[in-house]
PDB file of all heavy atoms in Angstrom:
ATOM      1  N   GLY A  42      93.923  45.103 143.804  1.00  0.00           N
ATOM      2  CA  GLY A  42      92.885  45.414 142.832  1.00  0.00           C
ATOM      3  C   GLY A  42      91.551  45.816 143.414  1.00  0.00           C
ATOM      4  O   GLY A  42      90.512  45.271 143.012  1.00  0.00           O
ATOM      5  N   ALA A 153      90.346  37.439 142.241  1.00  0.00           N
ATOM      6  CA  ALA A 153      89.589  38.196 141.241  1.00  0.00           C
ATOM      7  C   ALA A 153      90.481  39.090 140.389  1.00  0.00           C
ATOM      8  O   ALA A 153      89.990  39.761 139.470  1.00  0.00           O
ATOM      9  CB  ALA A 153      88.514  39.053 141.931  1.00  0.00           C
ATOM     10  N   ASP A 156      90.479  38.799 136.473  1.00  0.00           N
ATOM     11  CA  ASP A 156      89.205  38.979 135.778  1.00  0.00           C
ATOM     12  C   ASP A 156      89.316  40.212 134.873  1.00  0.00           C
ATOM     13  O   ASP A 156      89.620  41.313 135.343  1.00  0.00           O
ATOM     14  CB  ASP A 156      88.081  39.164 136.807  1.00  0.00           C
ATOM     15  CG  ASP A 156      86.706  39.203 136.171  1.00  0.00           C
ATOM     16  OD1 ASP A 156      86.599  39.544 134.974  1.00  0.00           O
ATOM     17  OD2 ASP A 156      85.720  38.909 136.879  1.00  0.00           O
ATOM     18  N   ASP A 157      89.072  40.041 133.596  1.00  0.00           N
ATOM     19  CA  ASP A 157      89.226  41.139 132.640  1.00  0.00           C
ATOM     20  C   ASP A 157      88.297  42.312 132.939  1.00  0.00           C
ATOM     21  O   ASP A 157      88.547  43.438 132.492  1.00  0.00           O
ATOM     22  CB  ASP A 157      88.973  40.640 131.217  1.00  0.00           C
ATOM     23  CG  ASP A 157      90.079  39.716 130.724  1.00  0.00           C
ATOM     24  OD1 ASP A 157      91.187  39.782 131.281  1.00  0.00           O
ATOM     25  OD2 ASP A 157      89.815  38.920 129.793  1.00  0.00           O
ATOM     26  N   THR A 158      87.207  42.063 133.651  1.00  0.00           N
ATOM     27  CA  THR A 158      86.256  43.137 133.947  1.00  0.00           C
ATOM     28  C   THR A 158      86.625  43.897 135.226  1.00  0.00           C
ATOM     29  O   THR A 158      85.935  44.840 135.590  1.00  0.00           O
ATOM     30  CB  THR A 158      84.837  42.559 134.098  1.00  0.00           C
ATOM     31  OG1 THR A 158      84.793  41.672 135.227  1.00  0.00           O
ATOM     32  CG2 THR A 158      84.427  41.797 132.846  1.00  0.00           C
ATOM     33  N   ASN A 159      87.689  43.492 135.899  1.00  0.00           N
ATOM     34  CA  ASN A 159      88.102  44.124 137.155  1.00  0.00           C
ATOM     35  C   ASN A 159      88.937  45.368 136.845  1.00  0.00           C
ATOM     36  O   ASN A 159      90.156  45.289 136.676  1.00  0.00           O
ATOM     37  CB  ASN A 159      88.893  43.124 138.005  1.00  0.00           C
ATOM     38  CG  ASN A 159      89.196  43.652 139.396  1.00  0.00           C
ATOM     39  OD1 ASN A 159      89.141  44.851 139.656  1.00  0.00           O
ATOM     40  ND2 ASN A 159      89.533  42.748 140.302  1.00  0.00           N
ATOM     41  N   GLU A 160      88.276  46.514 136.761  1.00  0.00           N
ATOM     42  CA  GLU A 160      88.963  47.736 136.357  1.00  0.00           C
ATOM     43  C   GLU A 160      90.017  48.178 137.366  1.00  0.00           C
ATOM     44  O   GLU A 160      91.056  48.742 136.995  1.00  0.00           O
ATOM     45  CB  GLU A 160      87.955  48.876 136.152  1.00  0.00           C
ATOM     46  CG  GLU A 160      87.157  49.254 137.390  1.00  0.00           C
ATOM     47  CD  GLU A 160      86.235  50.425 137.129  1.00  0.00           C
ATOM     48  OE1 GLU A 160      86.733  51.471 136.659  1.00  0.00           O
ATOM     49  OE2 GLU A 160      85.025  50.292 137.390  1.00  0.00           O
ATOM     50  N   TYR A 161      89.795  47.902 138.660  1.00  0.00           N
ATOM     51  CA  TYR A 161      90.763  48.331 139.665  1.00  0.00           C
ATOM     52  C   TYR A 161      91.996  47.435 139.662  1.00  0.00           C
ATOM     53  O   TYR A 161      93.109  47.900 139.951  1.00  0.00           O
ATOM     54  CB  TYR A 161      90.107  48.366 141.040  1.00  0.00           C
ATOM     55  CG  TYR A 161      88.917  49.283 141.066  1.00  0.00           C
ATOM     56  CD1 TYR A 161      87.629  48.779 141.275  1.00  0.00           C
ATOM     57  CD2 TYR A 161      89.068  50.640 140.818  1.00  0.00           C
ATOM     58  CE1 TYR A 161      86.535  49.622 141.249  1.00  0.00           C
ATOM     59  CE2 TYR A 161      87.969  51.488 140.791  1.00  0.00           C
ATOM     60  CZ  TYR A 161      86.706  50.980 141.008  1.00  0.00           C
ATOM     61  OH  TYR A 161      85.619  51.821 140.978  1.00  0.00           O
ATOM     62  N   ALA A 162      91.826  46.177 139.287  1.00  0.00           N
ATOM     63  CA  ALA A 162      92.978  45.302 139.118  1.00  0.00           C
ATOM     64  C   ALA A 162      93.829  45.763 137.940  1.00  0.00           C
ATOM     65  O   ALA A 162      95.066  45.769 138.012  1.00  0.00           O
ATOM     66  CB  ALA A 162      92.522  43.860 138.918  1.00  0.00           C
ATOM     67  N   ARG A 163      93.173  46.169 136.845  1.00  0.00           N
ATOM     68  CA  ARG A 163      93.932  46.657 135.694  1.00  0.00           C
ATOM     69  C   ARG A 163      94.675  47.949 136.062  1.00  0.00           C
ATOM     70  O   ARG A 163      95.804  48.179 135.629  1.00  0.00           O
ATOM     71  CB  ARG A 163      92.984  46.916 134.513  1.00  0.00           C
ATOM     72  CG  ARG A 163      92.125  45.727 134.084  1.00  0.00           C
ATOM     73  CD  ARG A 163      92.940  44.681 133.335  1.00  0.00           C
ATOM     74  NE  ARG A 163      93.849  43.938 134.188  1.00  0.00           N
ATOM     75  CZ  ARG A 163      93.457  42.959 135.043  1.00  0.00           C
ATOM     76  NH1 ARG A 163      92.174  42.642 135.152  1.00  0.00           N
ATOM     77  NH2 ARG A 163      94.345  42.307 135.770  1.00  0.00           N
TER      78      ARG A 163
END
Side-chain angles (χ1 to χ4, degrees):
D156 186 336
D157 290 339
T158 64
N159 188 341
E160 61 177 306
Y161 302 115
R163 304 286 72 75

